[in-house]
C-alpha cells in the first residue's frame, strides 16, 4: 500500500522553512565599503572578485563572517565570553539569513617549536592511540608516544581521614614521550658568546650586544647593579667566580636597585627569552641576532625525532612512531592501508580518511613531523581544510581566502573539486579569489571595485561568470587576458652556480641560474622550488629575499612607520616649525594623552565583550591639539597621514613641503601598485598581497643585485599582474637579476628563462625537468607546466 503524502507535499507551495535561501546584506560600511547591499545565494559557491583593496575581505570576512561568529559567541555564558576574543558588531544596517561561518584563512599555523603538521591535525593523536594498542614492546598509554608530554615521577605521603588520621605512602607516575635532552624540540642549541658581548669592554662601557639590552635598561641593570660582577671591569678580566655568576648562575631571588628581582646568568636568560620561541615567529632584528648567535644542531639524544628512547623502541612490525611521522604522508597512507587489525578497525578507518584527505588536497608530499611554522600560507590553509572535509556538518558557511595561493595550475583543478564537494554537501561556500580558473566554477559572482581603497567599496557586478565576462567591469575585461610569449628574450650576463643542492627533497641538483634576466622557478606544489631558491642560493649582501612571511606589526604600525617614511616627514615638520621631531610621532611625545596615540579607546568590560570607540579628545587623529597647530605646506601631520600614497607623492614633490627623501619612498610604494593606501592605515588591516608588496617596496631601497621573490602575484587582481610585470621588467632593465618562484602563467610567459622542477611532489619531485625559454617549454610540452602554459597562451 502506498504511503500517504505529507500535508506539505500535497500542494506545490514550499514549506516556510525552505524560503530562507539567501544571505541578505544591507548597508555594509565596514572599512572602505560604501553602503553595500547584496544578496548571496545559500548552498551555492559564490566567488568575490575585484582589485586588491577593493573591499572583498571587508565584505566577506569583516562583515558576513564576523557577524556570524559574534552571534554564535553571544550564545555562550558571560563567563565563557570573557575568555573569547572581542568582536565588535560590523558597520552594517541589516544582515539576514546568516548560518554558522567557518573561516579557513591564510593565517600561518602557530609558530610554536613543538607544533607539527601531525599535532595541528588529528593524525598524530590517532597514530599515538594506534601505537599504544599495537606497539611492541608496550610502553604505556598514548601520552607515552607524545613528544609534548614529559615523564613525571613523584612520591610522598598523603593523609587519609578515616576515623583516626592515617598517613599513606603514595607514588605517582606518568610516562611521557618527550626527549629529555631537547625537551621535544628535536634540536639543541649552542651559543656563540662573541655575539652576546664584546669582552674587551666593561658593562658600563656597553659591552652587551643583545637586542633589548641597551645601557640603562632593566635587562642591563640586572647585571650592573647585582653586585655579583664589577661593572667597570672588562669582561675578559673577570675572575672565575664572576664569570660563573655572569654567564651561568641559576635563577636567584635578590634585591637589585632596591627591588626584589630574580637574577640569572646571561646564557639561561637568553635561552628562555629567545630560544624557547620559534625563529619564524620572531621580529626580523631578533631573528637576525638568533641566527648570528645560535647554532641549532640535531639533538644527539633522540636523533631529531623529539621522542624518548622507550617511544622510539616500540614498533608495529618494523615501523616506529618516529618512522611513521617522518614518512611522506602518501607513503604513510599506504602503510596504514596494509594494517589489518580488527581490534582497532574504526581507528584505522578514521586515520586512513584523514591521510587520504591530505593526498586529495595536494599535500601528500608533507610529513607529519614537518614543523607547522615552516608551512606557507597556502599550505597552512589547506591543512586547516583537512578538518572540514570529513565533517558531518551541513548548511554552514565556509569562507576561503584565496585557496589557490601557492598552487600550480594542475593542483588548482583538485582544489576546485574540493570546493564543489563542500557545496554539494549542502553548504554555502564563499571564496575571495583572483585566478580565472577558480572564478570559472562559481555559481554566483560578486565583483567589487571599481578601484582600490577610497576608489572601491561598491558592487560593480552580481551574477553569473558569463555575465561578468560581458559586464565591462575591470575584472570582466581582464578575465580572458592572456600574456603572450615574448618575441625576444634577454641574454644573461652571467650565472649563479648551484651544485649538489640536497635540501629537503632536492636530489643532488646542479643548475645554473642566469643573471641579468627575469628567471621563473616553477613546478607543482611540493616539487622543491622554495628548497632550491631559499635553501641553496648563496646568502649574501647581494641577495635580497622577499618572502611571504607576515609583517609583524601592531595596530599602531602603518605604511609610514614600516617603510621609514615617517622619519623624513617628521624632520620636515620639525624643521618648518622649529620644534622637536618626536612631537610628530603618535607613539612618542606628540601622542594624544587620552588614547596614548592609538586614536581609539579600548574598554574592557570584564566578563562581557569589550568595545572600542573613537577617542573624543583627538577625534581619532592620534595627536595632541597643540601638535596639530604646526603646519607644513598648509597641512598638519594628521592630514598628511590621512593622504593616499599618490596624494602624498604630489604633496612632497614641490613647494614648501618638498622632501626628496619622502618622495623616493613614496615613488617605490606607487611602483608596486600601492598608490591607493593611506599613509596612516594600520598594518593589521592590510591584505596578504598588500603586505608582500609593502615589503617589496621597502627592499627596493636596498643595494642588492639579485632579487628573490616568492609568488609576488599573491593577492593580485588580473589587472594588477600587468603592473607587476612592468615592475619586474624595470628591475631587470636597471641591471638587477630577478628570480621569481611563481605559478601564475602570465609571469611564466613573460620570463626570459624558466627552471621547472618536478615531475611530482615530495619524493616524486626534487629534480630539474626543464631549463630554457618559455617558448621552448611550450614547444616541448614535456612537463605538466609545459602543458598548462601551452594551453594558457593558446599554442
Amino acid at each position: 500500500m502506498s504511503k500517504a503524502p505529507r500535508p506539505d507535499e500535497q500542494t506545490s507551495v514550499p514549506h516556510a522553512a525552505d524560503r530562507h535561501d539567501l544571505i541578505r546584506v544591507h548597508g555594509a560600511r565596514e572599512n572602505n565599503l560604501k553602503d553595500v547591499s547584496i544578496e548571496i545565494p545559500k548552498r551555492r559557491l559564490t566567488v568575490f572578485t575585484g582589485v586588491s583593496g577593493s573591499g572583498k575581505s571587508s565584505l566577506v570576512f569583516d562583515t558576513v563572517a564576523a557577524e556570524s561568529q559574534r552571534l554564535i559567541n553571544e550564545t555562550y555564558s558571560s563567563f565563557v565570553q570573557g575568555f573569547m576574543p572581542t568582536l565588535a558588531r560590523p558597520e552594517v544596517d541589516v544582515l539576514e539569513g546568516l548560518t554558522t561561518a567557518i573561516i579557513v584563512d591564510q593565517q600561518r599555523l602557530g609558530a610554536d617549536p613543538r607544533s607539527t603538521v601531525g599535532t595541528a591535525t588529528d593524525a598524530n593523536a590517532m597514530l599515538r592511540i594506534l601505537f599504544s594498542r599495537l606497539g611492541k614492546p608496550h610502553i604505556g598509554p598514548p601520552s607515552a608516544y607524545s613528544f609534548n608530554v614529559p615523564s613525571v615521577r613523584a612520591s610522598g605521603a598523603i593523609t587519609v581521614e578515616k576515623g583516626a588520621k592515617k598517613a599513606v605512602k603514595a607514588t605517582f607516575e606518568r610516562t611521557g614521550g618527550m626527549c629529555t635532552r631537547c625537551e621535544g624540540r628535536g634540536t639543541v642549541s649552542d651559543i656563540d658568546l662573541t655575539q652576546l658581548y664584546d669582552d674587551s669592554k666593561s658593562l658600563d662601557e656597553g659591552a652587551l650586544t643583545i637586542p633589548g639590552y641597551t645601557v640603562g635598561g632593566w635587562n642591563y641593570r640586572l647585571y650592573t647593579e647585582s653586585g655579583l660582577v664589577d661593572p667597570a671591569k672588562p669582561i675578559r678580566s673577570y675572575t672565575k667566580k664572576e664569570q660563573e655568576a655572569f654567564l651561568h648562575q641559576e635563577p636567584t631571588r635578590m634585591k637589585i636597585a632596591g627591588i626584589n628581582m630574580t637574577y640569572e646568568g646571561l646564557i639561561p636568560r637568553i635561552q628562555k627569552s629567545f630560544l624557547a620561541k620559534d625563529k619564524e615567529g620572531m621580529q626580523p632584528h631578533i631573528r637576525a641576532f638568533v641566527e648570528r648567535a645560535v647554532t641549532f644542531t640535531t639533538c644527539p639524544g633522540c636523533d631529531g625525532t623529539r621522542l624518548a628512547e622507550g617511544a622510539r623502541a616500540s614498533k608495529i612490525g618494523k615501523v616506529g612512531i618516529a618512522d611513521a611521522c617522518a614518512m611522506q604522508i602518501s607513503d604513510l597512507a599506504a602503510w596504514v592501508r596494509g594494517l589489518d587489525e580488527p581490534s582497532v578497525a574504526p581507528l584505522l578507518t578514521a586515520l586512513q580518511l584523514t591521510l587520504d584527505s591530505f593526498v586529495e588536497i595536494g599535500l601528500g608530499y608533507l610529513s607529519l613531523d614537518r614543523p607547522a611554522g615552516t608551512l606557507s600560507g597556502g599550505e597552512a590553509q589547506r591543512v586547516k581544510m583537512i578538518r572540514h572535509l570529513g565533517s558531518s556538518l551541513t548548511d554552514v558557511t565556509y569562507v576561503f581566502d584565496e585557496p589557490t595561493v601557492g598552487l600550480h595550475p594542475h593542483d588548482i583543478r583538485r582544489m576546485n573539486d574540493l570546493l564543489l564537494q563542500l557545496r554539494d554537501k549542502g553548504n554555502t561556500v564563499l571564496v575571495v579569489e583572483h585566478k580565472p580558473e577558480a572564478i570559472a566554477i562559481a555559481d554566483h559572482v560578486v565583483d567589487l571595485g571599481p578601484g582600490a581603497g577610497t576608489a572601491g567599496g561598491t558592487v560593480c557586478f552580481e551574477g553569473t561568470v558569463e555575465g561578468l565576462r560581458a559586464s565591462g567591469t575591470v575584472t570582466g575585461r581582464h578575465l580572458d587576458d592572456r600574456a603572450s610569449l615574448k618575441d625576444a628574450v634577454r641574454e644573461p650576463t652571467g650565472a649563479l652556480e648551484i651544485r649538489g643542492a640536497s635540501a629537503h627533497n632536492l636530489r643532488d641538483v646542479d643548475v645554473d641560474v642566469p643573471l641579468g634576466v627575469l628567471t621563473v622557478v616553477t613546478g607543482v606544489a611540493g616539487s622543491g622550488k622554495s628548497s632550491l631558491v631559499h635553501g641553496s642560493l648563496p646568502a649574501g649582501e647581494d641577495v635580497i629575499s622577499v618572502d611571504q612571511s607576515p609583517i609583524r606589526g601592531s595596530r599602531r604600525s602603518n605604511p609610514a612607520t614600516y617603510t621609514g617614511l615617517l622619519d623624513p616627514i617628521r624632520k620636515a615638520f620639525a624643521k618648518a616649525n622649529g620644534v622637536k621631531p618626536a612631537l610628530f610621532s603618535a607613539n612618542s611625545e606628540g601622542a594624544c594623552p587620552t588614547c596614548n596615540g592609538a586614536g581609539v579607546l579600548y574598554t574592557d568590560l570584564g566578563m562581557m565583550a569589550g568595545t572600542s570607540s573613537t577617542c573624543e579628545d583627538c577625534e581619532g587623529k592620534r595627536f595632541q591639539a597643540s601638535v596639530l597647530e604646526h603646519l607644513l605646506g598648509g597641512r598638519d601631520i594628521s592630514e598628511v597621514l590621512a593622504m593616499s600614497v599618490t596624494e602624498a607623492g604630489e604633496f612632497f614633490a614641490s613647494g614648501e613641503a618638498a622632501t626628496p627623501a619622502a618622495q623616493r619612498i613614496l615613488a617605490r610604494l606607487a611602483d608596486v601598485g600601492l598608490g591607493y593606501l593611506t599613509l596612516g592605515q594600520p598594518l593589521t588591516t592590510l591584505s596578504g598581497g598588500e603586505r608582500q608588496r609593502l615589503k617589496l617596496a621597502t627592499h627596493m631601497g636596498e643595494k642588492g643585485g639579485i632579487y628573490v621573490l616568492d609568488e609576488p602575484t599573491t593577492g593580485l587582481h588580473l589587472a594588477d599582474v600587468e603592473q607587476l610585470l612592468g615592475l619586474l621588467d624595470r628591475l631587470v632593465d636597471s641591471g638587477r637579476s630577478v628570480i621569481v618562484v611563481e605559478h601564475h602563467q602570465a609571469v611564466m610567459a613573460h620570463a626570459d628563462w624558466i627552471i621547472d622542477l618536478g615531475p611530482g611532489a615530495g619524493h616524486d619531485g626534487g629534480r630539474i625537468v626543464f631549463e630554457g625559454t618559455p617558448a621552448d617549454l611550450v614547444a616541448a610540452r614535456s612537463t605538466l607546466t609545459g602543458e598548462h602554459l601551452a594551453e594558457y597562451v593558446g599554442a
Side-chain angles (χ1 to χ4, degrees), residues 30-31 56-67 88 90-91:
E30 198 66 28
N31 298 330
K56 304 182 297 297
S57 295
S58 300
L59 179 59
V60 180
F61 289 93
D62 301 342
T63 304
V64 177
E67 179 65 355
E91 282 281 313

Side-chain angles (χ1 to χ4, degrees), residues 96-120:
E96 290 177 346
L98 290 178
T99 67
T100 306
I102 294 175
I103 296 173
V104 189
D105 60 16
Q106 286 184 42
Q107 290 294 321
R108 300 285 176 111
L109 290 167
D112 187 287
R114 292 198 194 91
S115 178
T116 64
V117 170
T119 60

